[in-house]
Amino acid sequence: MATAKKKSAPSFDDLTALLGKSVDDPAVVEMIAALAAKADKDYIIAKDHGVEYSLDRPSGAKKKVLRALFLHGPRLKPPRPPYEGLPKPFAFSDRAAMRKAKPPDEAWTMDDGDVPPTHENSERDTWHMNGYDISADYRGDGRISHYYI
């Protein structure tokens, strides 16, 4: 009797490679099927994998493209790595651990907007790495809620 091959989690590189592609690009269509994602006019959501893309129509374009990637982790049940290969030092830890591993390039709060990257209670930190802006949004307890790329 043959055993089912375990499907591996999508990689960070695979997920980011889809940014800028149209919703009907074969690679995007394949990802939607592989992750059992739901697509509507503004988002593609693979809730079981903690992956969400926002869609946008660039100026003058006829088709929407995958504009931004949200990576969620802590809310998955059961807790598990939803995707592989987050660039180091990114992890679903907390503000203090992330800042110790790599100080952010930018920081932001709801009350003050842009604040110095050393602001101790930022609600979002951003790092410019590998051609991407990678932002961590924090919950009230300082834990990382999600990443936005």
Side-chain angles (χ1 to χ4, degrees), residues 4-145:
K5 185 178 178 185
K6 185 178 177 189
K7 207 182 260 190
S8 65
S11 75
F12 178 83
D13 290 339
D14 291 341
L15 294 169
T16 55
L18 298 179
L19 291 170
K21 293 187 182 293
S22 67
V23 294
D24 62 354
D25 183 283
V28 174
V29 172
E30 182 180 329
M31 180 276 303
I32 290 171
L35 300 183
K38 306 272 190 234
D40 66 23
K41 64 183 183 94
D42 295 316
Y43 296 96
I44 297 172
I45 301 171
K47 188 174 184 178
D48 289 345
H49 293 275
V51 173
E52 179 180 339
Y53 289 95
S54 66
L55 307 176
D56 189 35
R57 187 181 331 274
S59 180
K62 293 184 181 202
K63 296 179 183 179
K64 287 189 173 184
V65 299
L66 282 66
R67 179 183 174 274
L69 171 62
F70 298 84
L71 299 176
H72 303 274
R75 71 181 185 189
L76 296 176
K77 306 281 189 242
R80 67 193 181 285
Y83 25 80
E84 299 172 351
L86 281 175
K88 292 192 184 303
F90 297 100
F92 281 96
S93 56
D94 61 33
R95 182 186 304 112
M98 272 305 304
R99 287 174 161 217
K100 183 177 181 182
K102 181 168 178 52
D105 297 309
E106 299 176 18
W108 181 88
T109 69
M110 180 69 82
D111 292 336
D112 300 319
D114 292 331
V115 294
T118 54
H119 191 284
E120 65 183 47
N121 290 315
S122 66
E123 295 169 46
R124 179 184 309 134
D125 286 335
T126 301
W127 295 263
H128 308 295
M129 291 183 59
N130 304 329
Y132 296 104
D133 290 343
I134 302 174
S135 296
D137 275 35
Y138 303 109
R139 300 186 312 209
D141 63 1
R143 304 250 348 132
I144 293 173
S145 163

